[in-house]
Amino acid sequence: MSRLRTSSGRGTASRVISGIGALFAFIEVLYILMIVLGANQGNAFFKFVQSLAEPLALFFPGLFATGNYNLDVFLNYGLAAVFWLVVTGLLARAVSRY
């Protein structure tokens, strides 16, 4: 019985980690869509999403400077979204195995 509880606990932790990564990636993708589709940047919801997306983007903003603002946002914040999915996926896999 003890082994079963430990295993399901690892599975739950793995799902939580994956869920957090998906949430972080969703925030980044939402921010990208709001920029590319021309959302009102003075809107409170936009500012809220921006306040979440910018810190989650870590060191990626400014990594690509193509001269096209929308493309820069897509590349930099999109790369941050992929980063969160990959890192949390690896962490979830590690937690579920050990």
Side-chain angles (χ1 to χ4, degrees):
M1 285 278 183
S2 175
R3 180 173 166 81
L4 180 62
R5 286 185 187 155
T6 304
S7 176
S8 67
R10 286 192 304 249
T12 301
S14 175
R15 285 189 297 276
V16 168
I17 292 169
S18 294
I20 289 170
L23 176 63
F24 287 0
F26 174 76
I27 291 167
E28 297 297 338
V29 169
L30 181 60
Y31 182 65
I32 291 167
L33 289 174
M34 291 174 80
I35 292 288
V36 171
L37 297 176
N40 177 6
Q41 295 186 10
N43 183 283
F45 181 69
F46 178 89
K47 289 182 181 193
F48 172 70
V49 172
Q50 183 180 33
S51 73
L52 296 173
E54 287 180 349
L56 289 174
L58 302 173
F59 50 83
F60 291 106
L63 186 62
F64 293 102
T66 63
N68 181 331
Y69 179 69
N70 286 345
L71 182 59
D72 292 347
V73 168
F74 179 77
L75 291 172
N76 294 321
Y77 287 86
L79 192 55
V82 171
F83 169 82
W84 284 114
L85 290 174
V86 169
V87 167
T88 56
L90 292 172
L91 284 172
R93 181 178 288 177
V95 165
S96 69
R97 287 189 180 180
Y98 301 104

